[in-house]
């Protein structure tokens, strides 16, 4: 029984200790002129859906949930955001080449269509991020129009 108490105490000290290790915040007070929404003059309904479903991981401005300051959850979120932004960062959209934009738009269409994005792990806690069939059609048609206009 004494060993269980020692292990519990060590785990508690470790848990409290890791709370003091900071993470990098992905937040900005401004929307850059290079942002996808500004560059493409996205209609409000589509803007709202993309912001709720995509922008937390694919832009320079994350709306953090209440649990974002609890380690190790904050590390997982930070890693997830970095990975998402490395794949696609809507805040840097204007700087992408025409070829890269075309590739990203094609990928957005297929991932929304196949329910690959937003990730299931994200939608577990963010139910508003899930696309309904009508939202899917609306966003996919809009993205196709942008892709065709490139």
């Amino acid at each position: 029984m004494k060993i269980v108490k020692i292990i519990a105490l060590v785990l508690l000290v470790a848990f409290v200790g890791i709370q003091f290790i900071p993470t990098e915040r992905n937040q900005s007070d401004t929307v850059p002129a290079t942002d996808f929404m500004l560059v493409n003059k996205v209609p409000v309904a589509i803007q709202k859906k993309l912001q709720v479903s995509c922008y937390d991981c694919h832009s320079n401005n994350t709306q953090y949930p209440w649990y974002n300051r609890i380690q190790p959850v904050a590390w997982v979120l930070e890693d997830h955001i970095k990975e998402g932004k490395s794949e696609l960062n809507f805040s840097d959209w204007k700087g992408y080449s025409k070829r890269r934009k075309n590739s990203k738009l094609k990928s957005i269409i297929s991932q929304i269509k196949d329910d690959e994005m937003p990730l299931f792990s994200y939608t577990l806690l963010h139910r508003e991020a899930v696309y309904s069939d009508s939202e899917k059609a609306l966003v996919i048609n809009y993205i196709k129009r942008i892709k065709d206009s490139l």
Side-chain angles (χ1 to χ4, degrees):
M1 190 63 175
K2 187 175 180 180
I3 191 74
V4 173
K5 286 181 181 179
I6 291 171
I7 290 171
L9 182 62
V10 168
L11 289 175
L12 178 64
V13 169
F15 180 75
V16 171
I18 65 173
Q19 302 310 311
F20 294 100
I21 300 172
T23 57
E24 187 178 321
R25 304 282 291 176
N26 183 47
Q27 288 184 311
S28 173
D29 293 332
T30 60
V31 178
T34 57
D35 190 87
F36 179 84
M37 304 291 186
L38 297 177
V39 170
N40 295 298
K41 297 179 178 61
V42 179
V44 174
I46 295 171
Q47 264 187 39
K48 288 180 180 177
K49 193 61 194 173
L50 289 176
Q51 285 174 332
V52 167
S53 301
C54 310
Y55 264 57
D56 278 349
C57 298
H58 296 284
S59 78
N60 292 341
N61 198 8
T62 300
Q63 301 297 314
Y64 285 96
W66 63 268
Y67 51 84
N68 81 86
R69 295 191 185 269
I70 301 170
Q71 302 294 8
V73 173
W75 293 331
V76 172
L77 289 174
E78 182 182 19
D79 185 56
H80 188 81
I81 291 166
K82 282 182 180 176
E83 184 181 338
K85 285 174 58 177
S86 72
E87 287 295 323
L88 169 66
N89 187 344
F90 284 112
S91 298
D92 296 337
W93 183 257
K94 191 174 184 179
Y96 287 180
S97 69
K98 184 177 176 180
R99 181 177 176 190
R100 188 169 186 199
K101 286 178 183 174
N102 196 35
S103 170
K104 295 301 175 189
L105 292 170
K106 184 178 174 185
S107 179
I108 291 168
I109 292 167
S110 70
Q111 292 191 6
I112 290 174
K113 187 177 177 183
D114 297 340
D115 294 322
E116 293 175 13
M117 284 286 171
L119 294 175
F120 177 71
S121 59
Y122 182 78
T123 59
L124 281 174
L125 296 173
H126 300 89
R127 298 304 302 161
E128 71 281 3
V130 176
Y131 282 88
S132 68
D133 288 341
S134 62
E135 290 170 332
K136 263 189 200 182
L138 183 71
V139 172
I140 288 172
N141 286 336
Y142 180 74
I143 299 293
K144 281 180 180 175
R145 284 198 310 266
I146 292 176
K147 185 176 177 297
D148 292 343
S149 70
L150 290 177

